[in-house]
Amino acid sequence: MDANETYSVYWHSYNLLHFDLLKSFGLTDEAYGFSSAAHPYMHTHQGNMPRLFGALIYFLGATSIEAQVLITTFFIGTLSLIFSYLSLRRIANPLFSFIFSALLFTDYLQIGQWQVVTYRVWYGFLFFGILACITNLDSKYPIKWLAGSYGLFFLMFYNELVFAVMIATFAILFTAYWHRLNISLILKIWLAQALGAFSALALLFSQLILKFGLSVVKQDFSTTFNMRNFGNKEDWANSSMTFFSTNKIVYWTNHTDSSPLRNLFSFIHAQTMYVFQIYTPWLTLIVITILSGYLFSLICNSDKFSKFNLKIKYLFTPAVSFSKILLFLFTLVTIVFSLTYIKLFSSFELIDAVFSSLIGLIFMGIIYANLTNVDYLKIKSKSEYSKWNSFKPILLILTTSFLIFIIFYGPSQFVSTFQLLVFISTCLIILLLNLNKIKWLGNIKLSYLINFILLFIVIFLIFFTQRIFGLKILANYINQLKSGVYYIVFLSIFLAALIFLITELYKDKIINKLGLIKLSLTLRKTLGNHLFTQTTYLSFIILILLFHWRLYDQDYSTVWMRPFNFFGGELLARLLSIFSIVFGCLFISMSPYQFLSKKIITHLTNVFILFFIGEIAFFIVFLLSPGYVISGYLQRTAPFSVFFTSIPLTIAIYLLFAVGLNLKTKVFYDFEFYEISKQKKYVGFTGIRNQYVATLFLSSGISLALILYWAALQFSYATALPPNYFPFLKQLQKPPFLGKSAIVMTYAAPVAAMTGSWAYFDPSSHSHKTTKTENGYETERDMKNFLWLADGNINLDYKYPDYFICMWPQSLRNIVADRMKGFEPFDNVCPRMPIVIEAQNKSSAMKHELIDFDLSPRGSWAIVKLDHELPPLVKDIKAKVIRKNDGFYILPEYIYIQQQGTAEQDSLVEIISLNNLESNSRDQNAKVIAKGYGKKLIKIPSSFKGIIALRITPISIKKEGESTTSSKLYISE
């Protein structure tokens, strides 16, 4: 669990109560130390409001982390849940509010884990509190809701400003919608909100100016904004870090150029990658299927669409109706086929031509239905004829334009001018033929034959010479065919087109002989009269099936499949996908008012608008600072847009519940009454009941499956990413760690709070690389950018922390790595750190000691006791040769160095023979012919003649250093 911010609130509260306010002026003091000289080190970019509540309960006795979490979660977390239920109950109804709150607060990654983080728990409280104030302002006591709006906006703008801007934008827009009939009330609440925001910002900037002065404040905010959005230049980074360290201002080096991210595609991709990917693509697909079915149903049953439907009533003649049913059934069968043989959660195994063929068939049917000869229209008056003639060209132009868009549009698609001209010419000829502008083609059979040929040419262009949305064409895969499935697809296209043709040419004979009228009417009773809309809906679902996997990172597919890790699980997922599509079609086949009351539809309209307003507010903030939104919120799964993005899932489950509850009465009571009274006189009774029964069972089954999947998914997340991820932290409250200092390779607040001593983040600490130079040893350290202690430049103790502590936070990558499906570098991180390896193997000159580490495959933490005693070294080695009666003696001369002043303790001096060695004098394999200690005479064996050198190993009273070899000497008689 990412609980760093709980510890930061603890430190902010502690510092606020224990150190001089005249130095910090009440701003956030980020220093993790207990001496007054270490304070303050300021966090300037927000008011950090949660520390005020933390300081209050600390003052009242909650002096431990556990007490802070318990009290904050109990009060603020509970109020967040209450405000969530109350506000959504006003916008919709109690059932919807219950489902929304249950889903949101059981979302382990995006909300659940953050309810026990004393900083992030305030986000839900602020959002739902503001929403409750907006929706209850027209109640009996509006003054208290205005006061609440002022107070909540004050708290929000005295906290994280990016979140505040998003919620403020949402609040302004939703206030305008919710109270759209009462302008004066809108102005009142806007005024209260503006005053709250202004008061908070005025307080924050007053504190900043008193502390730093106006010029520093301006440079602080401008530098931060530029570096967060355009800061990919090294000189900018160096100058900015100098500015922040000089003024003792906290700053994370999150430098990026966000310009390429400021577009709609990046916004959508950010949500699918970091939000809907957590819900899993499968669950998102089910939600899209259900919601699009509901929206298509609303559209096709609206008054405007009904008027349009009257103009194309001719499409429901038996012949064309049969053709449309064929098209619908073929589409449905193809979806079932697709979901059976494709990877539902990742890219498709089948060649994209299958889906290209399906799309082509659908649009061929749409165009052909619109090209039905006007003579078949049963028009009773000339006025109706003229109206249809004036409308038909528009419909045809729109249809053909849409088809052109589908065929030729693509992200990296080069469209051949010749192919474009051929296609446009084909569409224009079809248009002219259908409008009867070419009189010499008056023969109906010839007209239909030419229509068929030209449409076949269009399909040929789609499947064999073109791409659809950048997908590869069938021709590129001819050599890869392993079965006849693609020939079957092409043959089905040809046969479908042929059926359209034969049905129209010989409709009376064919239909009468085969009894197709009866079949058509029977299917229509079950499927309803909106086959055109159903086919369009299915086309949309096919496009989603084609491309939705591209919006997600496929490396995480093993995470999405965890709830289906049982025998038949993947098959069940595919069946549920099919059932949700059938549910959408059944919803379209009848009016939504037969499934839902007008009040419920109004409620759903409100929450849809709530969702879209939230997305608009999110988009605005994303454009302002996309890099910060992604790195600071989305990548960490911190609560941000989840308050909006959880709404579609809620609507989908609520729709299933509401439809099931409504149809339960119709199926088990109303129809029983009709059967008893034998009132089966209305047309389509059997078909309608079939729809009701099918929809009831589908809604019940899918809703139960979604609830079980959601529970399994959250359980999967909670077990794979447990909340007690760093249990070793409790060890730091006891000896030998209690009161000891540390450097950490991540956020240092938890370690400092547990040890009761100072700590800081050092990004280079994982290597702790020590390099030997001529003048001594140098240890690589970063004591400039993240040494957030006010006396960091003068307190030498910060150079010598007692421990190095590695903490590697968990993420979804670890779940993938656990199953060896990728991201292996994100597991077993701490044991692979160079400093940990050296401490374990004792292979370095610095004798670090590995105290403890995570033995699990995650390897998420390690504790190393640091050795700061630098090894001694020698330089300027000289050997003075002294000849005596009994032979030659060597008197070693050298300069002993130990940078910390540790005294020498008889360094080892070895005389080595370099005879018969091809290597240089530094060869460690040379034979030792004599040795001594310190600067004392050493006798050379009398029998030795040849080349020698001195090899000195410096030894201090604490540590032994690296050997150094002198230049060569020649010993002769």
Side-chain angles (χ1 to χ4, degrees):
M1 179 181 294
D2 189 350
N4 285 330
E5 288 160 330
T6 293
Y7 290 92
S8 70
V9 170
Y10 175 85
W11 271 107
H12 300 162
S13 306
Y14 179 89
N15 294 341
L16 185 64
L17 293 173
H18 288 83
F19 298 104
D20 192 352
L21 283 176
L22 294 178
K23 290 184 177 180
S24 67
F25 291 93
L27 289 167
T28 305
D29 181 1
E30 195 76 23
Y32 310 139
F34 291 90
S35 68
S36 58
H39 297 268
Y41 209 99
M42 311 310 304
H43 189 293
T44 60
H45 302 148
Q46 57 198 51
N48 276 349
M49 172 272 301
R51 67 195 167 88
L52 302 179
F53 183 81
L56 174 63
I57 61 176
Y58 189 101
F59 178 77
L60 295 175
T63 57
S64 68
I65 293 292
E66 293 83 357
Q68 290 263 323
V69 170
L70 180 64
I71 295 173
T72 306
T73 300
F74 179 77
F75 285 102
I76 307 305
T78 303
L79 284 175
S80 301
L81 180 59
I82 293 172
F83 284 155
S84 168
Y85 179 80
L86 292 178
S87 57
L88 268 296
R89 188 181 67 175
R90 288 279 295 178
I91 295 171
N93 54 54
L95 177 60
F96 184 92
S97 182
F98 173 79
I99 295 173
F100 174 82
S101 300
L103 290 174
L104 182 66
F105 285 87
T106 56
D107 185 343
Y108 177 75
L109 288 184
Q110 298 186 92
I111 286 293
Q113 66 168 328
W114 302 100
Q115 290 301 104
V116 290
V117 175
T118 57
Y119 180 82
R120 298 290 175 179
V121 68
W122 287 88
Y123 283 47
F125 170 82
L126 293 171
F127 174 75
F128 291 115
I130 289 171
L131 190 58
C133 290
I134 294 172
T135 54
N136 286 280
L137 193 61
D138 53 358
S139 61
K140 189 175 180 180
Y141 302 104
I143 188 66
K144 68 177 182 180
W145 299 108
L146 285 173
S149 295
Y150 171 85
L152 288 168
F153 261 70
F154 176 86
L155 294 177
M156 184 171 68
F157 274 87
Y158 198 65
N159 196 28
E160 214 281 323
L161 294 179
V162 171
F163 178 78
V165 170
M166 183 183 74
I167 301 304
T169 305
F170 162 80
I172 291 170
L173 296 176
F174 191 74
T175 299
Y177 164 73
W178 190 253
H179 300 290
R180 58 192 178 277
L181 301 179
N182 191 339
I183 302 300
S184 63
L185 200 57
I186 293 174
L187 296 177
K188 287 180 182 178
I189 195 168
W190 279 356
L191 179 61
Q193 293 168 350
L195 287 175
F198 177 79
S199 300
L201 293 176
L203 174 61
L204 174 61
F205 280 94
S206 297
Q207 292 172 296
L208 291 172
I209 292 171
L210 287 172
K211 171 63 181 175
F212 297 104
L214 182 59
S215 60
V216 173
V217 173
K218 289 170 63 177
Q219 187 174 350
D220 176 14
F221 276 82
S222 63
T223 303
T224 301
F225 181 81
N226 288 330
M227 296 307 297
R228 291 283 189 267
N229 293 280
F230 314 105
N232 56 355
K233 297 181 179 180
E234 186 176 351
D235 55 340
W236 285 15
N238 294 334
S239 62
S240 66
M241 294 311 298
T242 301
F243 166 78
F244 288 117
S245 61
T246 301
N247 290 282
K248 295 179 174 54
I249 295 174
V250 169
Y251 181 77
W252 288 101
T253 54
N254 183 15
H255 300 158
T256 183
D257 184 2
S258 300
S259 302
L261 298 175
R262 289 188 172 89
N263 54 73
L264 181 60
F265 176 79
S266 296
F267 172 70
I268 295 172
H269 191 251
Q271 290 195 85
T272 56
M273 284 289 292
Y274 301 115
V275 180
F276 294 109
Q277 186 160 269
I278 293 174
Y279 295 144
T280 74
W282 178 81
L283 185 57
T284 305
L285 180 65
I286 298 296
V287 170
I288 291 174
T289 302
I290 294 172
L291 295 192
S292 57
Y294 170 73
L295 294 175
F296 271 96
S297 176
L298 282 182
I299 293 170
C300 71
N301 288 282
S302 63
D303 293 337
K304 292 182 179 179
F305 191 87
S306 298
K307 293 177 182 178
F308 166 77
N309 201 34
L310 289 175
K311 294 183 178 292
I312 56 172
K313 190 175 181 181
Y314 75 96
L315 291 177
F316 298 116
T317 58
V320 180
S321 179
F322 173 70
S323 301
K324 290 176 62 184
I325 289 172
L326 261 181
L327 176 63
F328 171 81
L329 292 178
F330 182 83
T331 307
L332 191 59
V333 169
T334 307
I335 286 183
V336 174
F337 171 79
S338 303
L339 291 172
T340 305
Y341 292 99
I342 64 175
K343 288 183 177 179
L344 185 64
F345 303 94
S346 59
S347 59
F348 299 119
E349 288 179 336
L350 283 182
I351 296 171
D352 297 328
V354 175
F355 301 97
S356 301
S357 304
L358 179 59
I359 294 171
L361 177 61
I362 290 169
F363 285 103
M364 181 191 72
I366 293 172
I367 288 182
Y368 199 85
N370 285 300
L371 293 177
T372 303
N373 194 285
V374 75
D375 292 339
Y376 287 117
L377 289 173
K378 297 181 179 180
I379 298 174
K380 297 179 180 179
S381 65
K382 292 183 178 180
S383 60
E384 291 183 21
Y385 184 92
S386 60
K387 286 180 181 178
W388 171 244
N389 262 350
S390 63
F391 175 78
K392 198 169 183 181
I394 300 174
L395 178 64
L396 288 170
I397 291 171
L398 289 175
T399 307
T400 51
S401 299
F402 186 54
L403 184 57
I404 293 172
F405 176 82
I406 290 294
I407 295 172
F408 288 103
Y409 179 78
S412 59
Q413 178 67 25
F414 175 74
V415 179
S416 166
T417 306
F418 172 76
Q419 291 171 337
L420 184 60
L421 290 175
V422 169
F423 179 78
I424 294 175
S425 301
T426 303
C427 293
L428 288 175
I429 293 172
I430 293 174
L431 180 63
L432 292 173
L433 283 174
N434 191 68
L435 295 176
N436 295 319
K437 298 297 183 182
I438 304 177
K439 296 182 179 179
W440 59 271
L441 288 176
N443 187 299
I444 293 176
K445 293 184 179 181
L446 181 59
S447 174
Y448 275 113
L449 182 61
I450 294 176
N451 271 300
F452 170 74
I453 294 171
L454 292 176
L455 284 169
F456 188 80
I457 291 173
V458 172
I459 295 171
F460 180 84
L461 289 174
I462 295 173
F463 303 136
F464 290 92
T465 63
Q466 266 299 43
R467 287 168 164 254
I468 294 182
F469 283 101
L471 299 179
K472 294 181 178 179
I473 59 175
L474 179 61
N476 292 341
Y477 290 100
I478 291 296
N479 296 327
Q480 301 178 23
L481 295 179
K482 297 180 181 179
S483 68
V485 62
Y486 306 109
Y487 298 111
I488 294 172
V489 171
F490 176 72
L491 182 61
S492 64
I493 295 168
F494 180 84
L495 291 177
L498 194 61
I499 289 171
F500 280 120
L501 177 65
I502 295 173
T503 304
E504 289 300 326
L505 291 178
Y506 302 100
K507 60 173 187 174
D508 295 329
K509 296 178 182 178
I510 297 292
I511 291 174
N512 289 336
K513 285 184 178 181
L514 299 180
L516 297 181
I517 292 178
K518 185 176 181 180
L519 174 62
S520 175
L521 292 174
T522 302
L523 288 173
R524 279 179 59 189
K525 286 179 181 179
T526 301
L527 299 174
N529 288 330
H530 295 294
L531 290 177
F532 179 86
T533 309
Q534 288 173 331
T535 305
T536 307
Y537 162 72
L538 289 174
S539 305
F540 171 74
I541 296 301
I542 291 166
L543 290 175
I544 296 297
L545 283 172
L546 269 173
F547 306 112
H548 83 111
W549 65 273
R550 296 170 182 256
L551 300 173
Y552 306 100
D553 187 343
Q554 297 303 316
D555 291 329
Y556 293 97
S557 57
T558 182
V559 179
W560 312 330
M561 287 300 295
R562 289 192 78 197
F564 289 115
N565 282 342
F566 56 88
F567 179 75
E570 187 171 346
L571 176 61
L572 177 62
R574 299 182 188 282
L575 289 175
L576 288 170
S577 303
I578 296 170
F579 292 156
S580 66
I581 294 170
V582 175
F583 176 82
C585 290
L586 289 172
F587 214 104
I588 292 170
S589 67
M590 300 182 71
S591 169
Y593 295 100
Q594 291 181 283
F595 294 135
L596 305 168
S597 67
K598 290 184 178 180
K599 190 174 183 180
I600 288 177
I601 291 176
T602 302
H603 293 160
L604 290 175
T605 302
N606 287 337
V607 293
F608 266 114
I609 292 173
L610 175 70
F611 168 69
F612 286 121
I613 290 176
E615 286 294 293
I616 291 170
F618 183 24
F619 182 52
I620 291 172
V621 170
F622 186 86
L623 291 179
L624 290 176
S625 187
Y628 182 76
V629 168
I630 291 174
S631 62
Y633 286 96
L634 301 184
Q635 287 180 345
R636 298 175 59 202
T637 70
F640 195 66
S641 63
V642 66
F643 304 114
F644 314 126
T645 53
S646 57
I647 291 176
L649 175 60
T650 306
I651 296 175
I653 295 179
Y654 174 77
L655 269 174
L656 295 168
F657 270 92
V659 168
L661 292 173
N662 189 41
L663 290 184
K664 178 182 176 182
T665 304
K666 290 182 178 293
V667 171
F668 296 107
Y669 176 75
D670 291 352
F671 280 106
E672 181 181 354
F673 172 78
Y674 281 123
E675 288 179 4
I676 293 173
S677 59
K678 297 181 179 180
Q679 295 181 10
K680 299 183 180 180
K681 297 180 181 179
Y682 59 92
V683 179
F685 168 79
T686 305
I688 292 174
R689 184 171 186 185
N690 289 344
Q691 287 179 313
Y692 282 169
V693 173
T695 308
L696 173 61
F697 279 100
L698 283 173
S699 62
S700 303
I702 296 171
S703 59
L704 177 61
L706 291 185
I707 291 172
L708 292 176
Y709 178 79
W710 180 259
L713 183 65
Q714 302 314 313
F715 178 77
S716 170
Y717 284 145
T719 52
L721 304 173
N724 59 337
Y725 193 56
F726 290 128
F728 82 96
L729 283 174
K730 290 186 177 181
Q731 299 179 31
L732 303 183
Q733 294 177 307
K734 304 173 184 178
F737 309 108
L738 184 64
K740 300 298 183 179
S741 57
I743 52 172
V744 191
M745 62 168 294
T746 184
Y747 202 55
V751 172
M754 289 298 181
T755 60
S757 182
W758 55 263
Y760 63 90
F761 167 48
D762 181 354
S764 64
S765 59
H766 67 281
S767 63
H768 210 271
K769 186 176 180 181
T770 302
T771 306
K772 182 181 178 181
T773 67
E774 290 184 359
N775 298 317
Y777 288 89
E778 294 181 358
T779 300
E780 182 181 345
R781 297 285 299 279
D782 182 359
M783 299 186 64
K784 177 183 178 183
N785 295 326
F786 302 100
L787 181 55
W788 295 339
L789 295 160
D791 57 344
N793 294 332
I794 57 175
N795 190 339
L796 297 180
D797 290 343
Y798 298 143
K799 291 184 178 181
Y800 309 108
D802 296 307
Y803 290 93
F804 161 77
I805 296 181
C806 174
M807 297 169 62
W808 187 258
Q810 59 183 344
S811 69
L812 289 173
R813 295 186 183 96
N814 293 110
I815 304 179
V816 181
D818 292 344
R819 284 155 180 75
M820 294 181 289
K821 300 292 185 180
F823 296 117
E824 279 76 11
F826 287 86
D827 260 3
N828 200 39
V829 174
C830 289
R832 289 188 285 108
M833 292 292 172
I835 188 174
V836 177
I837 295 174
E838 290 177 1
Q840 188 174 26
N841 299 333
K842 301 185 183 302
S843 57
S844 171
M846 307 302 293
K847 304 304 179 183
H848 306 308
E849 180 184 355
L850 180 60
I851 303 298
D852 201 359
F853 66 98
D854 183 4
L855 294 173
S856 74
R858 292 277 178 92
S860 60
W861 58 270
I863 305 175
V864 175
K865 185 175 182 180
L866 296 176
D867 172 26
H868 297 290
E869 176 70 18
L870 293 173
L873 72 156
V874 294
K875 66 177 184 177
D876 296 341
I877 301 176
K878 298 177 181 178
K880 186 176 181 180
V881 181
I882 301 175
R883 186 168 185 172
K884 294 186 177 182
N885 294 333
D886 57 346
F888 288 96
Y889 287 81
I890 297 294
L891 179 63
E893 295 180 356
Y894 58 86
I895 298 175
Y896 169 87
I897 299 174
Q898 208 290 325
Q899 292 157 270
Q900 294 154 319
T902 306
E904 182 183 9
Q905 181 183 352
D906 292 336
S907 297
L908 174 64
V909 182
E910 297 172 305
I911 301 176
I912 58 176
S913 170
L914 301 180
N915 291 341
N916 303 319
L917 289 179
E918 296 181 359
S919 58
N920 59 32
S921 63
R922 300 180 186 278
D923 195 316
Q924 297 298 312
N925 297 320
K927 181 181 178 181
V928 178
I929 60 173
K931 66 179 180 179
Y933 296 94
K935 299 177 180 180
K936 301 175 182 177
L937 285 173
I938 304 173
K939 186 178 184 303
I940 299 175
S942 58
S943 61
F944 179 83
K945 296 179 180 61
I947 302 172
I948 65 168
L950 295 186
R951 185 169 65 199
I952 301 178
T953 303
I955 301 175
S956 72
I957 59 176
K958 294 182 178 180
K959 184 173 289 189
E960 181 180 297
E962 281 187 21
S963 300
T964 304
T965 306
S966 70
S967 57
K968 301 175 184 179
L969 293 174
Y970 183 77
I971 303 296
S972 65
E973 296 181 0

